[in-house]
Amino acid sequence: MAVITESAIRELAAIRGERSPITSCYLDVDGRRLARYPDLEHEVDLLLRGAKVRANGEQSVHSDLTRIGRLVRGGIDRSRTRGLAIFACADQDLWEVIELPVRVHSQVVINHVPAVGQLESVLRENEPIGVLLVDRQRAEMYVFELGELVGHSEHFDDLPRDEGPRGQSDRGGHTNQAEARVHQHLKSAAKVAFEVYQEHEFAHLVVGAPEPLAADLTAHLHPYLVARLASQRLGVGVGASHDQVLAAAQAMETTLERRREAALVGRLRDAAASGGRAVLGLPGVLEALGTKRLGQLVVSRGFAAPGWRCDGCDSFVAIGRLCKRCGEEMVEVDDIVEEAVEAALASSCRVEICVDNADLDVMGRIGAFLRY
Ligand SMILES: [Zn+2]
């Protein structure tokens, strides 16, 4: 499977359909959603048929869509693949199929650039996450990347019988000794976590441990891990199955992502309100993009709007047809937002696609931080 990296996405984003448009196709092939393969084939068929209508007789795009249909009819191994991203342009010998272990939103985009927005989101929302589960005698460390287990380690410190896993020693004199043992155990757990981190780096660490242990554990964690500590309230504990741990980690990742988006939108609103380096709304964003002032783009998922693209001066506007900047006749495009996202990515701007953020929706569903 091709590994999706930030640089791979930027390489894709830099491709241009010189003679013919590029076909970008995302397919949700999740076997848990559509268990019967013929149902998937039928769904893809409908999607491609709709795209062929939009292809407007472009031969190259027709070939791309036909080839995508063949790929799906040929069978997809869905044991590990839940999403597909396909970038094609028959005219340019471009054919790139990326298998993803996570779902995507099915769509076909026909444009002069590849539509990499969803790939970017997948990458952003599936940063490697470390999970540390600890009780009074066991420690388990997991690392998941793109929904798959890439690292795992366990540690066990046997407790004397009378202390048991609950650690409630009846004999008062032994309490200090018992506490010292737990202390030692947490130290070992923290060490295991850091060893795993050195093997498989992760962006976030979440901890599942009973309340009194969690705080103690943090004191023993390596500073690198403390810096990545996102939550100590994972809904699962030691002994949970791999699937349960993964599900809890992914739910946590989604929560963290939404929180991060909310903070970003808050900063954007404040910057715009105080006359800082930020703009809100589509016209302002397109203007910033055209004048190369765009720093970071923030957009609501699903936001689309028709508009115009000027190939004369590489700019985008909401209203055509003649370019105010260079006087050229512009090209009408179905979705100027998608164009703006691709252009921003291609020029190495960061793009944040926010999900269900009501604040951003009120602000016009799109905004940007400016370079100057
Ligand atoms: Zn122009």
Side-chain angles (χ1 to χ4, degrees), residues 308-317 319-332:
W308 300 79
R309 182 185 79 231
C310 177
D311 289 333
C313 64
D314 258 344
S315 64
F316 305 94
V317 291
I319 299 161
R321 132 176 336 255
L322 286 184
C323 178
K324 283 196 182 124
R325 187 141 15 106
C326 73
E328 286 262 332
E329 186 154 321
M330 297 188 284
V331 185
E332 193 166 13

Coordinates of all heavy atoms in Angstrom, one line a residue, residues 308-317 319-332:
W308 N -15.4 31.6 -10.8 CA -14.6 31.8 -12.0 C -13.1 31.7 -11.7 O -12.6 32.1 -10.7 CB -14.9 33.1 -12.7 CG -16.4 33.2 -13.0 CD1 -17.4 33.5 -12.2 CD2 -16.9 33.1 -14.3 NE1 -18.6 33.6 -12.9 CE2 -18.3 33.3 -14.2 CE3 -16.4 32.7 -15.6 CZ2 -19.2 33.2 -15.3 CZ3 -17.3 32.7 -16.7 CH2 -18.6 32.9 -16.5
R309 N -12.4 31.1 -12.7 CA -10.9 31.0 -12.6 C -10.3 31.7 -13.7 O -10.7 31.5 -14.9 CB -10.5 29.5 -12.6 CG -9.1 29.3 -12.4 CD -8.7 27.9 -12.5 NE -8.6 27.5 -13.9 CZ -9.2 26.4 -14.5 NH1 -10.0 25.7 -13.7 NH2 -9.1 26.1 -15.7
C310 N -9.3 32.6 -13.4 CA -8.6 33.2 -14.5 C -7.2 32.5 -14.7 O -6.4 32.5 -13.8 CB -8.3 34.7 -14.2 SG -7.4 35.5 -15.5
D311 N -7.0 32.0 -15.9 CA -5.8 31.3 -16.2 C -4.7 32.3 -16.6 O -3.5 32.0 -16.6 CB -5.9 30.2 -17.2 CG -6.7 29.0 -16.7 OD1 -6.7 28.8 -15.5 OD2 -7.4 28.4 -17.5
G312 N -5.2 33.5 -16.9 CA -4.2 34.6 -17.3 C -3.4 35.0 -16.1 O -2.2 35.2 -16.3
C313 N -4.0 35.2 -14.9 CA -3.2 35.7 -13.8 C -3.4 34.8 -12.6 O -3.0 35.2 -11.5 CB -3.6 37.1 -13.5 SG -5.4 37.3 -12.9
D314 N -3.9 33.6 -12.8 CA -3.9 32.6 -11.7 C -4.8 33.1 -10.6 O -4.4 33.0 -9.4 CB -2.5 32.3 -11.2 CG -2.0 31.0 -11.7 OD1 -2.9 30.2 -12.2 OD2 -0.8 30.7 -11.6
S315 N -5.9 33.7 -10.9 CA -6.8 34.1 -9.7 C -8.2 33.5 -9.8 O -8.5 32.9 -10.8 CB -6.8 35.7 -9.7 OG -7.4 36.1 -10.9
F316 N -8.9 33.7 -8.7 CA -10.2 33.1 -8.6 C -11.2 34.2 -8.1 O -10.8 35.0 -7.2 CB -10.2 32.0 -7.5 CG -9.2 31.0 -7.8 CD1 -8.0 31.0 -7.2 CD2 -9.6 29.9 -8.6 CE1 -7.1 30.0 -7.4 CE2 -8.6 28.9 -8.8 CZ -7.4 28.9 -8.3
V317 N -12.3 34.3 -8.7 CA -13.3 35.2 -8.2 C -14.7 34.6 -8.2 O -14.9 33.5 -8.9 CB -13.4 36.5 -9.1 CG1 -12.1 37.4 -8.9 CG2 -13.6 36.2 -10.5
I319 N -17.5 36.2 -9.2 CA -18.3 36.7 -10.4 C -17.4 36.9 -11.6 O -16.4 37.5 -11.5 CB -19.0 38.0 -10.0 CG1 -20.0 37.7 -8.8 CG2 -19.8 38.5 -11.1 CD1 -20.4 38.9 -8.0
G320 N -17.9 36.4 -12.8 CA -17.1 36.5 -14.0 C -17.8 37.5 -14.9 O -18.6 38.3 -14.5
R321 N -17.5 37.5 -16.2 CA -16.7 36.6 -16.9 C -15.3 37.2 -17.2 O -14.3 36.5 -17.5 CB -17.5 36.1 -18.1 CG -16.8 36.2 -19.4 CD -17.7 35.6 -20.6 NE -18.7 34.7 -20.2 CZ -18.6 33.3 -20.4 NH1 -17.6 32.8 -20.9 NH2 -19.6 32.5 -20.1
L322 N -15.2 38.6 -17.2 CA -13.9 39.2 -17.6 C -13.1 39.4 -16.3 O -13.6 39.8 -15.3 CB -14.1 40.5 -18.3 CG -14.5 40.3 -19.8 CD1 -14.6 41.7 -20.4 CD2 -13.6 39.4 -20.6
C323 N -11.8 39.1 -16.3 CA -10.9 39.3 -15.2 C -10.6 40.8 -15.0 O -10.2 41.5 -15.9 CB -9.6 38.5 -15.3 SG -8.5 38.7 -13.9
K324 N -10.9 41.3 -13.7 CA -10.7 42.7 -13.4 C -9.2 43.0 -13.3 O -8.8 44.1 -13.5 CB -11.4 43.0 -12.1 CG -12.9 43.2 -12.2 CD -13.4 43.9 -11.0 CE -14.9 44.0 -11.2 NZ -15.7 43.5 -10.0
R325 N -8.4 41.9 -13.1 CA -7.0 42.2 -12.9 C -6.3 42.2 -14.2 O -5.4 43.1 -14.4 CB -6.4 41.1 -11.9 CG -5.0 41.4 -11.6 CD -4.5 41.2 -10.2 NE -5.2 40.3 -9.3 CZ -4.8 39.1 -9.0 NH1 -3.8 38.5 -9.6 NH2 -5.4 38.4 -8.0
C326 N -6.5 41.2 -15.1 CA -5.7 41.2 -16.3 C -6.6 41.3 -17.6 O -6.0 41.3 -18.7 CB -4.9 39.9 -16.3 SG -5.8 38.4 -16.6
G327 N -7.9 41.3 -17.4 CA -8.7 41.5 -18.6 C -9.0 40.3 -19.4 O -9.8 40.3 -20.3
E328 N -8.4 39.1 -19.0 CA -8.7 37.9 -19.7 C -10.1 37.4 -19.5 O -10.7 37.7 -18.5 CB -7.7 36.8 -19.2 CG -6.3 36.9 -19.7 CD -6.0 36.1 -20.9 OE1 -6.6 35.0 -21.0 OE2 -5.1 36.5 -21.6
E329 N -10.5 36.6 -20.4 CA -11.8 35.9 -20.2 C -11.6 34.7 -19.3 O -10.6 34.0 -19.5 CB -12.4 35.4 -21.6 CG -13.7 34.8 -21.4 CD -14.5 34.9 -22.7 OE1 -14.4 36.0 -23.4 OE2 -15.2 34.0 -23.0
M330 N -12.4 34.5 -18.3 CA -12.2 33.5 -17.3 C -13.0 32.2 -17.6 O -13.9 32.2 -18.4 CB -12.6 34.0 -15.9 CG -11.7 35.2 -15.5 SD -12.0 35.7 -13.8 CE -13.5 36.6 -14.0
V331 N -12.6 31.2 -16.9 CA -13.3 29.9 -17.0 C -14.3 29.7 -15.9 O -13.9 29.9 -14.7 CB -12.3 28.7 -17.0 CG1 -12.9 27.4 -17.2 CG2 -11.1 29.0 -17.9
E332 N -15.5 29.3 -16.2 CA -16.5 29.1 -15.1 C -16.2 27.7 -14.5 O -16.0 26.7 -15.2 CB -17.9 29.1 -15.7 CG -18.9 29.2 -14.6 CD -20.3 29.6 -15.1 OE1 -20.5 29.6 -16.4 OE2 -21.2 29.9 -14.3

